[in-house]
Amino acid sequence: MQKSLVITATLALLSQPSAAQEDASTAGHPYVGMWMTEDGHVRHELLPNGRYVEARGNREHAYEGRYEVTGAHIEYWDDTGFTADGDFLEDDVLHHGGMVLYRR
């Protein structure tokens, strides 16, 4: 009995993606990096690990959470439960929540 339990637990661990694998799959899209409005008031940093940090004005960590990119579409899930989305209409332009952000 104990041998099958150990084998099952080992197989379960081996089937889960490692943090490095998750980082590599998220980092595979071309949009990782800093995005900001023209006036610099709103700044989104899309991190390669699937997390983002949004700054607004002097508030450097106004919002933080996770994101997923599918093609040219981005979905955000803030740590507080807020959700949002946006679209990369060009390589260097993100339309999100009525704002236009540019790659920096």
Side-chain angles (χ1 to χ4, degrees):
M1 279 277 183
Q2 287 182 339
K3 285 184 181 180
S4 65
L5 179 62
V6 170
I7 291 170
T8 302
T10 302
L11 289 174
L13 285 173
L14 290 175
S15 68
Q16 295 176 357
S18 69
Q21 289 169 324
E22 288 177 357
D23 286 352
S25 65
T26 303
H29 68 77
Y31 306 115
V32 168
M34 181 62 73
W35 297 82
M36 64 178 60
T37 55
E38 193 169 46
D39 63 4
H41 183 75
V42 176
R43 301 170 304 282
H44 288 192
E45 185 173 7
L46 302 180
L47 304 170
N49 64 356
R51 301 278 301 165
Y52 75 92
V53 177
E54 179 177 322
R56 290 191 177 232
N58 294 330
R59 292 178 54 206
E60 288 300 318
H61 294 270
Y63 301 99
E64 296 181 60
R66 68 181 181 89
Y67 73 91
E68 289 180 12
V69 173
T70 305
H73 184 76
I74 186 168
E75 295 278 342
Y76 297 91
W77 293 270
D78 185 81
D79 290 343
T80 64
F82 178 80
T83 62
D85 67 344
D87 293 292
F88 298 93
L89 298 183
E90 301 170 30
D91 287 344
D92 296 326
V93 180
L94 167 59
H95 288 243
H96 162 70
M99 296 179 285
V100 177
L101 293 93
Y102 301 91
R103 183 187 300 274
R104 298 287 182 224

